[in-house]
Every structure is written in structure tokens, then in C-alpha cells.
Amino acid sequence: MSLIPSIVFPAALVAVGGAVVASNGRDLYFGLASRRWSATRGRVVAVETHEGTLWHGDSSVILSYEYEVDGTTYCSRRYDFAGRNAGPTAGHVLLETPVGAWSPVLYDARRPERSALRAGVGLQSVASVAIGAGIGGLGLLGLIGILLSAPG
């Protein structure tokens, strides 16, 4: 009897869990790292808004800003690594950072093109990584159980 049909579902769980961890783990990593980044002054040069819908809470604000490090000007659109420029907090972001506003910019000194206006992580990033790891872990346990129970 072939093991292939029985390992498809647990293998899919490992793949889905891994994809969730990979896609959200980056934001979690950089959100934590941004707390130790250097700072400079930047200027908001453009603001885009997406009104979204009240029942989904999916409004968002995208800020474009410029900043200078060691004589080089960089442009970025990263508000933070926590998603605070979307949902219920989007209006606050729009009010505090209109076009032309000066704002502190946090940047990675090793790669100054990597920046954010706000440091830290959000509960969404932590929860997504934890859920992805749980899904992948369940799949891995399933695979181990199938392989250990396989005959000879």
C-alpha cells in the first residue's frame, strides 16, 4: 500500500503553514529590528487613500516620503511593519502625516533604502506567525505519525 495518498494532507498543512510563516515572519523580523535602527528626518511627498468599506474595516493610507542618508536621497512607502496604516487607525495616520509634513524616518544603517516611519510590530504579525507555525507543526506531526506507523 502506498503512503502517497495518506501524506498529501499533512504535507499540504506543512506547506501552507510554512508559507504563512514566511510571508509574515519578514514583517515580524523587520518590525523588531526597526526598534534599533538609525533615524533621520524625512518629508511626506504624496498620500494615497483607499476608503474601503465600513463593515470590512479595510481603509488604508499609503504615504510616500523622501529622506536623506549620507548625501543620498531615498524614497519609501513603508509606514511600519505592523499594518497601522490600515483599518481603524488609517484616519489617524492621515491626520498626523499630511503631504509636506516632516517626520522622523527610521532606516537600516546597513541598507539605508530599508526604512519605516514607525517602529515595532503588531499583534497581527505575531498572531499570523504563531498560527502558521501551528498549522505547519500539525502537518509535521501528521507526517511523522504516518511514517512511524508505516509497515517495514
Side-chain angles (χ1 to χ4, degrees), residues 42-135:
R43 188 169 160 274
V44 177
V45 294
V47 175
E48 297 173 36
T49 60
H50 168 71
E51 301 241 354
T53 54
L54 181 60
W55 51 89
H56 286 125
D58 59 350
S59 298
S60 63
V61 175
I62 299 171
L63 304 170
S64 296
Y65 56 93
E66 293 179 341
Y67 59 101
E68 188 175 309
V69 176
D70 296 329
T72 302
T73 299
Y74 297 94
C75 187
S76 181
R77 296 169 62 138
R78 169 76 65 182
Y79 182 75
D80 67 2
F81 293 95
R84 290 181 288 231
N85 61 318
T89 57
H92 177 70
V93 171
L94 186 59
L95 289 174
E96 76 175 15
T97 48
V99 172
W102 291 93
S103 178
V105 175
L106 304 167
Y107 68 93
D108 184 344
R110 292 174 293 161
R111 293 194 52 202
E113 68 277 6
R114 182 179 293 144
S115 67
L117 292 179
R118 303 291 179 266
V121 297
L123 182 59
Q124 175 185 348
S125 297
V126 175
S128 297
V129 169
I131 290 168
I135 291 170

XYZ file of all heavy atoms in Angstrom, residues 42-135:
704
model
N 12.543 62.999 7.433
C 12.008 62.823 6.087
C 10.797 63.695 5.873
O 10.234 64.249 6.814
N 10.392 63.797 4.615
C 9.249 64.651 4.261
C 8.246 63.844 3.451
O 8.613 63.153 2.494
C 9.741 65.841 3.446
C 8.681 66.875 3.186
C 9.330 68.134 2.604
N 8.350 68.937 1.931
C 7.984 68.783 0.656
N 8.558 67.890 -0.081
N 7.074 69.555 0.136
N 6.973 63.927 3.831
C 5.901 63.238 3.108
C 5.677 63.966 1.791
O 5.434 65.179 1.773
C 4.600 63.203 3.936
C 3.477 62.558 3.150
C 4.832 62.481 5.262
N 5.791 63.250 0.665
C 5.658 63.879 -0.647
C 4.354 63.506 -1.353
O 3.959 64.177 -2.308
C 6.867 63.553 -1.555
C 8.134 64.178 -0.992
C 7.040 62.065 -1.756
N 3.687 62.444 -0.912
C 2.412 62.061 -1.523
C 1.626 61.189 -0.554
O 2.199 60.485 0.274
C 2.644 61.307 -2.827
N 0.307 61.258 -0.668
C -0.583 60.442 0.155
C -1.642 59.843 -0.749
O -2.254 60.536 -1.552
C -1.269 61.292 1.257
C -2.279 60.458 2.021
C -0.244 61.886 2.196
N -1.818 58.535 -0.637
C -2.892 57.849 -1.355
C -3.809 57.234 -0.303
O -3.339 56.758 0.729
C -2.330 56.728 -2.224
C -1.399 57.185 -3.319
C -0.761 56.002 -4.032
O -1.434 54.972 -4.211
O 0.421 56.108 -4.373
N -5.102 57.262 -0.571
C -6.041 56.659 0.375
C -6.918 55.650 -0.344
O -7.178 55.753 -1.539
C -6.948 57.719 1.023
O -7.682 58.386 0.000
C -6.142 58.712 1.829
N -7.335 54.668 0.414
C -8.320 53.689 -0.043
C -9.403 53.680 1.025
O -9.132 53.357 2.177
C -7.685 52.301 -0.192
C -8.698 51.220 -0.385
N -9.425 51.088 -1.542
C -9.105 50.236 0.442
C -10.242 50.057 -1.426
N -10.066 49.525 -0.229
N -10.588 54.120 0.643
C -11.661 54.282 1.626
C -12.157 52.971 2.195
O -12.575 52.909 3.324
C -12.824 55.046 0.992
C -12.402 56.403 0.503
C -13.150 57.513 1.181
O -14.073 57.230 1.936
O -12.787 58.665 0.939
N -12.102 51.899 1.435
C -12.558 50.612 1.940
C -14.042 50.632 2.250
O -14.797 51.457 1.746
N -14.445 49.721 3.091
C -15.846 49.607 3.466
C -15.951 49.560 4.980
O -15.091 48.989 5.657
C -16.466 48.322 2.872
O -15.656 47.213 3.271
C -16.534 48.393 1.366
N -16.989 50.128 5.502
C -17.176 50.204 6.944
C -17.247 48.807 7.566
O -16.652 48.547 8.598
C -18.454 50.994 7.257
C -18.775 51.193 8.729
C -17.648 51.949 9.407
C -20.080 51.946 8.881
N -17.935 47.891 6.919
C -18.125 46.573 7.517
C -16.882 45.691 7.422
O -16.753 44.728 8.138
C -19.342 45.855 6.940
C -19.368 45.811 5.446
C -18.814 44.862 4.645
C -19.969 46.756 4.575
N -19.021 45.158 3.330
C -19.744 46.315 3.250
C -20.685 47.936 4.775
C -20.197 47.013 2.148
C -21.138 48.613 3.649
C -20.892 48.151 2.375
N -15.933 46.024 6.564
C -14.689 45.260 6.499
C -13.541 45.952 7.239
O -12.537 45.313 7.547
C -14.250 45.046 5.044
C -15.071 44.038 4.320
N -15.699 44.309 3.139
C -15.372 42.756 4.620
C -16.368 43.241 2.730
N -16.175 42.291 3.620
N -13.660 47.234 7.500
C -12.583 47.963 8.172
C -11.284 47.918 7.391
O -10.210 47.785 7.960
N -11.383 48.027 6.053
C -10.193 47.864 5.211
C -9.714 49.163 4.574
O -9.072 49.150 3.538
C -10.447 46.812 4.128
C -11.622 47.150 3.220
O -12.364 48.103 3.532
O -11.800 46.462 2.205
N -9.982 50.289 5.210
C -9.436 51.556 4.728
C -7.925 51.538 4.911
O -7.404 50.876 5.802
C -10.022 52.729 5.517
O -11.408 52.790 5.343
N -7.222 52.267 4.055
C -5.771 52.320 4.214
C -5.233 53.650 3.689
O -5.874 54.327 2.897
C -5.087 51.164 3.487
O -5.316 51.249 2.102
N -4.052 53.999 4.173
C -3.345 55.201 3.753
C -1.948 54.768 3.331
O -1.273 54.034 4.055
C -3.238 56.215 4.911
C -2.394 57.407 4.510
C -4.605 56.660 5.365
N -1.524 55.198 2.151
C -0.172 54.910 1.684
C 0.560 56.235 1.550
O 0.149 57.113 0.801
C -0.186 54.153 0.341
C -0.917 52.822 0.515
C 1.239 53.936 -0.160
C -1.182 52.090 -0.779
N 1.620 56.373 2.325
C 2.408 57.598 2.325
C 3.687 57.369 1.532
O 4.352 56.359 1.707
C 2.801 57.976 3.753
C 1.678 58.132 4.765
C 2.253 58.258 6.160
C 0.840 59.334 4.421
N 4.028 58.312 0.682
C 5.341 58.302 0.029
C 6.161 59.392 0.698
O 5.688 60.510 0.878
C 5.210 58.600 -1.467
O 4.484 57.578 -2.106
N 7.385 59.050 1.074
C 8.226 60.031 1.744
C 9.661 59.909 1.245
O 10.079 58.871 0.747
C 8.165 59.880 3.265
C 8.517 58.510 3.785
C 9.821 58.202 4.160
C 7.552 57.511 3.904
C 10.154 56.943 4.645
C 7.870 56.261 4.375
C 9.172 55.975 4.744
O 9.491 54.728 5.211
N 10.359 61.015 1.357
C 11.767 61.075 0.969
C 12.598 61.386 2.206
O 12.153 62.111 3.101
C 12.000 62.164 -0.071
C 11.348 61.888 -1.402
C 11.585 63.008 -2.412
O 11.932 64.145 -1.994
O 11.415 62.753 -3.601
N 13.809 60.833 2.225
C 14.737 61.095 3.318
C 16.151 60.978 2.773
O 16.377 60.383 1.710
C 14.504 60.127 4.483
C 14.666 58.668 4.114
C 15.831 57.974 4.435
C 13.660 57.991 3.437
C 15.986 56.641 4.095
C 13.808 56.663 3.098
C 14.968 55.987 3.425
O 15.113 54.665 3.083
N 17.084 61.546 3.486
C 18.467 61.560 3.022
C 19.376 60.902 4.058
O 19.251 61.136 5.250
C 18.923 62.996 2.788
C 20.273 63.100 2.140
C 20.648 64.541 1.821
O 19.829 65.249 1.197
O 21.759 64.940 2.217
N 20.283 60.053 3.554
C 21.293 59.407 4.389
C 22.629 59.531 3.673
O 22.760 59.094 2.518
C 20.957 57.914 4.635
C 22.076 57.235 5.428
C 19.620 57.760 5.334
N 23.608 60.142 4.312
C 24.958 60.304 3.753
C 24.941 60.893 2.339
O 25.663 60.427 1.453
C 25.711 58.968 3.758
C 25.958 58.454 5.158
O 26.104 59.291 6.083
O 26.012 57.217 5.346
N 24.108 61.897 2.126
C 24.069 62.593 0.840
C 23.245 61.911 -0.237
O 23.108 62.441 -1.334
N 22.678 60.753 0.037
C 21.832 60.050 -0.936
C 20.378 60.187 -0.521
O 20.034 59.966 0.640
C 22.210 58.555 -1.019
O 23.584 58.451 -1.376
C 21.368 57.822 -2.035
N 19.519 60.545 -1.481
C 18.092 60.681 -1.202
C 17.390 59.367 -1.537
O 17.592 58.791 -2.602
C 17.482 61.822 -2.038
O 18.151 63.041 -1.679
C 15.997 61.965 -1.763
N 16.573 58.917 -0.612
C 15.803 57.689 -0.780
C 14.318 58.027 -0.730
O 13.912 59.016 -0.128
C 16.117 56.690 0.340
C 17.550 56.238 0.353
C 18.491 56.890 1.155
C 17.970 55.164 -0.422
C 19.811 56.470 1.184
C 19.290 54.751 -0.408
C 20.203 55.405 0.396
O 21.503 54.996 0.412
N 13.516 57.185 -1.350
C 12.064 57.338 -1.326
C 11.473 56.005 -0.868
O 11.943 54.943 -1.286
C 11.536 57.715 -2.705
S 9.787 58.124 -2.689
N 10.484 56.059 -0.003
C 9.875 54.842 0.505
C 8.382 55.048 0.713
O 7.903 56.178 0.749
C 10.527 54.431 1.827
O 9.956 53.233 2.311
N 7.683 53.932 0.866
C 6.249 53.958 1.144
C 5.897 53.135 2.383
O 4.741 52.918 2.674
C 5.484 53.431 -0.060
C 5.655 54.311 -1.289
C 5.122 53.639 -2.511
N 3.699 53.388 -2.364
C 2.816 53.566 -3.312
N 3.205 53.978 -4.493
N 1.554 53.309 -3.112
N 6.898 52.668 3.097
C 6.668 51.804 4.254
C 6.321 52.655 5.473
O 7.151 53.398 5.964
C 7.912 50.972 4.516
C 7.931 50.218 5.818
C 7.085 48.990 5.876
N 7.551 47.984 4.956
C 6.945 46.831 4.794
N 5.857 46.552 5.496
N 7.379 45.960 3.932
N 5.113 52.550 5.968
C 4.742 53.267 7.193
C 5.325 52.531 8.401
O 5.980 53.126 9.236
C 3.224 53.380 7.311
C 2.800 54.153 8.539
C 2.931 55.529 8.586
C 2.297 53.502 9.655
C 2.585 56.247 9.719
C 1.940 54.209 10.788
C 2.087 55.579 10.819
O 1.747 56.280 11.944
N 5.045 51.247 8.481
C 5.581 50.427 9.562
C 5.511 48.960 9.144
O 5.131 48.643 8.031
C 4.829 50.674 10.870
C 3.382 50.205 10.836
O 2.933 49.642 9.816
O 2.686 50.394 11.852
N 5.865 48.083 10.053
C 5.803 46.651 9.779
C 4.655 46.017 10.551
O 4.612 44.806 10.715
C 7.134 45.984 10.151
C 8.258 46.414 9.261
C 9.100 47.453 9.623
C 8.462 45.794 8.040
C 10.134 47.861 8.799
C 9.489 46.202 7.198
C 10.326 47.232 7.583
N 3.729 46.835 11.011
C 2.638 46.343 11.845
C 1.264 46.536 11.218
O 0.273 46.107 11.770
C 2.677 47.034 13.205
N 1.166 47.218 10.096
C -0.124 47.431 9.458
C -0.964 48.520 10.080
O -2.174 48.556 9.911
N -0.320 49.462 10.810
C -1.086 50.520 11.468
C -1.595 51.579 10.496
O -2.328 52.469 10.899
C -0.252 51.174 12.568
C -0.036 50.253 13.755
C 0.766 50.937 14.824
N 2.140 51.068 14.394
C 3.195 50.697 15.102
N 3.025 50.186 16.290
N 4.412 50.859 14.643
N -1.208 51.500 9.226
C -1.721 52.460 8.249
C -2.980 51.918 7.578
O -3.437 52.457 6.587
C -0.655 52.780 7.204
C -0.224 51.565 6.429
O -0.032 50.487 6.986
N -0.045 51.733 5.133
N -3.549 50.874 8.129
C -4.760 50.290 7.561
C -5.772 50.045 8.672
O -5.433 50.014 9.854
C -4.434 48.974 6.854
N -7.019 49.856 8.265
C -8.061 49.567 9.236
C -8.450 50.799 10.031
O -8.386 51.930 9.540
N -8.836 50.606 11.291
C -9.356 51.703 12.091
C -8.354 52.822 12.372
O -8.741 53.929 12.696
C -9.797 51.045 13.400
C -9.420 49.628 13.334
C -8.879 49.327 11.976
N -7.055 52.555 12.263
C -6.054 53.583 12.554
C -5.641 54.380 11.322
O -4.848 55.314 11.430
C -4.801 52.948 13.191
O -4.296 51.937 12.306
C -5.115 52.334 14.546
N -6.181 54.054 10.166
C -5.783 54.739 8.926
C -6.084 56.239 8.981
O -5.283 57.059 8.537
C -6.479 54.112 7.716
N -7.214 56.625 9.537
C -7.562 58.043 9.623
C -6.579 58.821 10.467
O -6.205 59.949 10.134
N -6.122 58.227 11.551
C -5.141 58.882 12.423
C -3.829 59.110 11.676
O -3.209 60.168 11.788
C -4.909 58.041 13.675
C -3.877 58.604 14.591
N -4.081 59.748 15.312
C -2.614 58.210 14.860
C -3.001 60.021 16.017
N -2.082 59.108 15.756
N -3.410 58.114 10.910
C -2.173 58.233 10.118
C -2.301 59.389 9.137
O -1.388 60.194 8.973
C -1.868 56.918 9.369
C -0.720 57.100 8.381
C -1.555 55.811 10.355
N -3.439 59.502 8.501
C -3.677 60.566 7.520
C -3.620 61.938 8.189
O -3.023 62.876 7.644
C -5.032 60.351 6.845
C -5.387 61.270 5.698
C -4.359 61.162 4.572
C -6.770 60.936 5.161
N -4.180 62.069 9.371
C -4.177 63.357 10.069
C -2.791 63.762 10.555
O -2.431 64.932 10.518
C -5.137 63.305 11.258
C -6.622 63.273 10.917
C -7.450 63.075 12.178
C -7.042 64.538 10.193
N -2.004 62.800 11.014
C -0.696 63.145 11.584
C 0.395 63.328 10.538
O 1.439 63.887 10.850
C -0.262 62.103 12.624
C 0.235 60.809 12.042
C 0.771 59.846 13.094
O 0.515 60.033 14.281
O 1.446 58.885 12.687
N 0.185 62.871 9.304
C 1.245 62.956 8.295
C 0.704 63.421 6.940
O 0.716 62.681 5.969
C 1.943 61.585 8.127
O 0.940 60.573 7.997
C 2.836 61.259 9.286
N 0.235 64.657 6.843
C -0.237 65.168 5.554
C 0.943 65.440 4.608
O 2.100 65.471 5.029
C -0.940 66.469 5.937
C -0.233 66.921 7.170
C 0.140 65.659 7.903
N 0.645 65.653 3.348
C 1.681 65.988 2.369
C 2.417 67.238 2.834
O 1.816 68.197 3.286
C 1.064 66.217 0.962
C 2.111 66.749 -0.004
C 0.469 64.930 0.426
N 3.738 67.181 2.758
C 4.577 68.295 3.185
C 5.054 68.187 4.617
O 5.952 68.919 5.033
N 4.458 67.288 5.402
C 4.847 67.148 6.805
C 6.238 66.524 6.921
O 6.606 65.656 6.145
C 3.829 66.281 7.545
N 6.984 66.985 7.897
C 8.281 66.395 8.223
C 8.042 65.344 9.285
O 7.252 65.543 10.209
C 9.253 67.458 8.720
C 9.663 68.399 7.629
C 9.090 69.591 7.316
C 10.716 68.200 6.683
N 9.726 70.160 6.237
C 10.740 69.317 5.825
C 11.646 67.185 6.470
C 11.640 69.450 4.788
C 12.555 67.314 5.429
C 12.545 68.444 4.602
N 8.730 64.229 9.150
C 8.528 63.130 10.087
C 9.846 62.402 10.310
O 10.664 62.300 9.389
C 7.500 62.151 9.508
O 7.316 61.056 10.363
N 10.068 61.886 11.505
C 11.252 61.049 11.701
C 11.146 59.796 10.820
O 10.066 59.215 10.694
C 11.191 60.663 13.178
C 10.240 61.617 13.807
C 9.300 62.046 12.731
N 12.248 59.402 10.217
C 12.314 58.183 9.406
C 13.348 57.266 10.044
O 14.481 57.671 10.299
C 12.721 58.494 7.947
C 12.905 57.211 7.156
C 11.696 59.392 7.277
N 12.943 56.053 10.308
C 13.863 55.044 10.830
C 14.409 54.273 9.639
O 13.662 53.913 8.735
C 13.122 54.105 11.765
C 12.418 54.799 12.921
C 11.459 53.852 13.609
C 13.437 55.344 13.895
N 15.721 54.040 9.619
C 16.308 53.319 8.482
C 17.382 52.354 8.964
O 18.021 52.558 9.992
C 16.862 54.295 7.439
C 18.065 55.062 7.913
C 19.356 54.597 7.666
C 17.915 56.253 8.618
C 20.461 55.297 8.111
C 19.015 56.954 9.076
C 20.287 56.476 8.813
O 21.377 57.165 9.269
N 17.557 51.310 8.207
C 18.572 50.300 8.484
C 19.912 50.844 7.994
O 20.093 51.058 6.797
C 18.201 49.018 7.744
C 19.129 47.853 8.023
O 20.250 48.072 8.542
O 18.744 46.724 7.700
N 20.847 51.083 8.897
C 22.130 51.689 8.525
C 22.910 50.816 7.538
O 23.676 51.332 6.728
C 22.976 51.945 9.774
N 22.684 49.506 7.572
C 23.373 48.623 6.626
C 22.753 48.674 5.237
O 23.426 48.432 4.250
C 23.359 47.177 7.135
C 24.233 47.007 8.389
C 24.091 45.626 8.960
N 22.714 45.498 9.473
C 22.116 44.359 9.715
N 22.720 43.221 9.505
N 20.879 44.344 10.191
N 21.454 48.970 5.193
C 20.739 49.113 3.923
C 19.796 50.297 4.059
O 18.618 50.133 4.360
C 19.960 47.836 3.602
C 20.893 46.665 3.325
C 20.226 45.489 2.700
N 19.461 45.854 1.518
C 18.469 45.108 1.043
N 18.134 43.993 1.622
N 17.813 45.482 -0.037
N 20.310 51.518 3.841
C 19.504 52.720 4.109
C 18.224 52.833 3.276
O 17.336 53.603 3.634
C 20.458 53.872 3.780
C 21.802 53.291 3.649
C 21.657 51.823 3.438
N 18.119 52.067 2.200
C 16.883 52.102 1.415
C 15.739 51.394 2.148
O 14.580 51.535 1.779
C 17.091 51.481 0.027
C 17.338 49.984 0.004
C 18.785 49.573 0.257
O 19.637 50.440 0.574
O 19.068 48.375 0.164
N 16.050 50.648 3.200
C 15.034 49.967 4.006
C 14.666 50.907 5.148
O 15.500 51.248 5.974
C 15.601 48.662 4.548
C 14.595 47.868 5.366
C 15.175 46.568 5.860
N 15.420 45.681 4.739
C 16.453 44.855 4.656
N 17.344 44.807 5.625
N 16.612 44.080 3.610
N 13.407 51.325 5.192
C 13.001 52.310 6.192
C 11.550 52.119 6.606
O 10.807 51.352 5.991
C 13.179 53.724 5.623
O 12.261 53.925 4.567
N 11.178 52.845 7.635
C 9.794 52.891 8.109
C 9.612 54.182 8.887
O 10.573 54.733 9.426
C 9.478 51.694 9.003
N 8.380 54.656 8.936
C 8.099 55.856 9.725
C 7.847 55.533 11.192
O 8.046 56.374 12.054
C 6.896 56.608 9.153
C 7.098 57.244 7.783
C 5.813 57.939 7.335
C 8.255 58.220 7.790
N 7.393 54.324 11.485
C 7.126 53.916 12.857
C 7.759 52.553 13.111
O 7.731 51.675 12.266
C 5.624 53.831 13.139
C 4.860 55.124 12.876
C 5.223 56.216 13.874
N 4.515 57.447 13.591
C 4.994 58.442 12.856
N 6.181 58.368 12.313
N 4.295 59.540 12.663
N 8.283 52.373 14.310
C 8.936 51.112 14.682
C 7.941 50.159 15.332
O 6.856 50.553 15.729
C 10.077 51.396 15.662
N 8.368 48.925 15.432
C 7.608 47.943 16.195
C 6.806 46.985 15.349
O 6.796 47.059 14.123
N 6.173 46.062 16.050
C 5.367 45.031 15.411
C 3.937 45.132 15.901
O 3.661 45.735 16.937
C 5.917 43.618 15.718
C 7.298 43.440 15.160
C 5.889 43.322 17.191
N 3.064 44.505 15.158
C 1.667 44.479 15.546
C 1.233 43.086 15.943
O 1.871 42.091 15.592
N 0.156 43.011 16.657
C -0.396 41.730 17.082
C -0.693 40.845 15.875
O -0.523 39.626 15.933
C -1.660 41.968 17.912
C -2.343 40.731 18.465
C -1.385 39.959 19.371
C -3.592 41.120 19.216
N -1.099 41.440 14.768
C -1.420 40.680 13.565
C -0.208 39.884 13.083
O -0.331 38.715 12.725
C -1.906 41.614 12.463
C -2.156 40.919 11.146
C -2.511 41.895 10.041
O -2.785 43.060 10.296
N -2.501 41.421 8.820
N 0.974 40.494 13.080
C 2.182 39.799 12.628
C 2.520 38.640 13.551
O 2.829 37.538 13.099
C 3.376 40.757 12.560
O 3.148 41.769 11.624
N 2.464 38.878 14.855
C 2.783 37.836 15.831
C 1.778 36.692 15.721
O 2.153 35.514 15.683
C 2.807 38.413 17.261
C 3.012 37.325 18.295
C 3.877 39.487 17.379
N 0.487 37.031 15.660
C -0.554 36.005 15.575
C -0.439 35.205 14.280
O -0.593 33.976 14.291
C -1.933 36.656 15.682
N -0.156 35.865 13.169
C -0.039 35.158 11.894
C 1.107 34.158 11.908
O 0.977 33.027 11.428
C 0.164 36.153 10.751
O -0.947 36.990 10.619
N 2.248 34.572 12.454
C 3.390 33.656 12.540
C 3.055 32.485 13.460
O 3.358 31.325 13.148
C 4.660 34.404 13.000
C 5.778 33.438 13.342
C 5.119 35.368 11.912
N 2.421 32.754 14.590
C 2.061 31.684 15.529
C 1.063 30.705 14.889
O 1.214 29.485 15.024
C 1.487 32.282 16.809
N 0.069 31.233 14.201
C -0.925 30.369 13.552
C -0.270 29.545 12.443
O -0.506 28.339 12.324
C -2.103 31.207 13.016
C -2.926 31.738 14.196
C -2.975 30.395 12.064
C -3.939 32.797 13.826
N 0.568 30.183 11.637
C 1.273 29.458 10.573
C 2.156 28.361 11.129
O 2.194 27.240 10.600
N 2.863 28.665 12.218
C 3.717 27.656 12.843
C 2.874 26.508 13.397
O 3.266 25.339 13.296
C 4.554 28.286 13.947
N 1.719 26.827 13.957
C 0.827 25.784 14.468
C 0.312 24.876 13.361
O 0.298 23.644 13.508
N -0.100 25.478 12.258
C -0.590 24.686 11.119
C 0.526 23.790 10.577
O 0.334 22.593 10.350
C -1.131 25.613 10.012
C -2.420 26.289 10.476
C -1.365 24.843 8.713
C -2.904 27.404 9.565
